Every structure is written in C-alpha cells, then in structure tokens.
Amino acid sequence: MNSPSIPASSDLARRNRRVLVMAALVALGSLGLGFAAVPLYRIFCQTTGFGGTTQRADETVVVKPVAGRTMSVRFDSNVAPGMPWEFYPEHPTDTVEIGARDMAIFIAKNVSDKPVTGTAVFNVTPTQAGAYFTKIQCFCFTEQTLQPGEQMRMPVIYYVDPKILDDPDNKDTQQITLSYTFNPVEPK
C-alpha cells in the first residue's frame, strides 16, 4: 500500500502564497465592485428605464409627434419630512400627443426664514414606461436654492417617445405619472 506523498515544504509554502494572493485579489475585487455598484446601477437604470427612471435628451433631439395618439401625464409632488417647502404642479394632469414636446410647471416656495437648497429625485409609473419618458430640461438636473419666502416656477420639458406604442408591456398604458420628491441638501 502506497502512502500519499506529502509535498515538500517549499511546494506547500508556494501553494499557500498562491491561495493567499487569490483570496486578496477576490477581496479587493469585491471591495471595488461595492464602490462601483451605485454608479453602475444608476447608469443601468438611466439606460434601460429600469425602476421608472426617465431618459434624458438634449434640446437638439428631433422626435416626430404621432397624430391622434395621446397619453395622459399626471404630476405628483412631495417634499421630504422636515423640508420647509411647499411644492406642487401648476396643473396636476396634462394630455400630450405622443412624440410632441410638452412643458409642465412646478411651483416651489420656501416657507422658512432662511435659505434652503433642495434636490429633486424622481420616478415614473408604471415603471415600464420610464424607458419612454424623456426629459429635455428639468429642475431636477441641478440643486435649487430658494431664499426665505421665495417662490419659483420650475419647468420640465419632456416628451413621450413614440416607441412606447410598439412595446407590448405598455399596450395598456393610458397614463404616466411623473413623481418628484424634494430633499434638503446639507450645507457643505
């Protein structure tokens, strides 16, 4: 009966070092993926419209309206708890021609006695419609600062991409809700 051979001490040390290096590389790779997860997820959502993330286009984009095809758009507005703003859409709903640019106005008012800076997060429901809701200009692209008692009209220029008509997941979509929540920006 042959006994299993025991590796020489130098072979064992070399194998242990290799395992240690591989484990360290896996740990560093996992750490790197942890830091990259948020930006990668944001890019994924912006590209696919996942989770109701809207699309973004510049002012030079050319889209042709689809005659006779409309979509109801509902506007929802919220402020985070403790944020001293009033925030609401000028008109809570609009009916738009699919493919045509349209503009919605939101009103924000600082009801405190000090300047307040806020940033808006947004989403679209139904979530599968997010890939077809495209913003050209939006107050949500930048931070907004309102002085004490100041009221501001904030536009959103958008369109509903005609490709929504060819998407079987959106065949029953008759209304899209664009929802914003303003959150305070902590002073730097």
Side-chain angles (χ1 to χ4, degrees), residues 5-27:
S5 64
I6 298 173
S9 174
S10 64
D11 285 346
L12 185 59
R14 189 170 5 115
R15 288 181 185 173
N16 285 343
R17 275 194 303 273
R18 188 178 330 173
V19 169
L20 178 66
V21 168
M22 292 173 103
L25 288 174
V26 167

Side-chain angles (χ1 to χ4, degrees), residues 63-66 98-100 132 159-167:
V63 180
K64 294 183 180 182
V66 179
I98 294 176
Y132 304 103
Y159 66 90
V160 178
D161 194 317
K163 293 176 187 169
I164 195 169
L165 299 171
D166 300 325
D167 183 350

Side-chain angles (χ1 to χ4, degrees), residues 40-67:
L40 290 174
Y41 182 73
R42 184 178 301 124
I43 291 168
F44 170 77
C45 290
Q46 290 172 342
T47 302
T48 65
F50 181 76
T53 303
T54 63
Q55 303 302 299
R56 188 171 176 178
D58 63 24
E59 294 191 24
T60 62
V61 69
V62 177
V63 180
K64 294 183 180 182
V66 179

Side-chain angles (χ1 to χ4, degrees), residues 44-127:
F44 170 77
C45 290
Q46 290 172 342
T47 302
T48 65
F50 181 76
T53 303
T54 63
Q55 303 302 299
R56 188 171 176 178
D58 63 24
E59 294 191 24
T60 62
V61 69
V62 177
V63 180
K64 294 183 180 182
V66 179
R69 299 299 301 264
T70 61
M71 180 72 64
S72 174
V73 180
R74 188 175 81 81
F75 304 103
D76 178 51
S77 58
N78 306 280
V79 292
M83 180 147 186
W85 281 16
E86 293 174 356
F87 175 58
Y88 56 92
E90 190 171 66
H91 301 286
T93 61
D94 194 7
T95 300
V96 298
E97 192 172 32
I98 294 176
R101 290 182 188 205
D102 202 55
M103 181 169 58
I105 302 290
F106 283 78
I107 314 284
K109 182 176 182 180
N110 180 354
V111 294
S112 77
D113 60 352
K114 61 184 177 209
V116 177
T117 300
T119 185
V121 293
F122 55 86
N123 74 335
V124 166
T125 54
T127 55

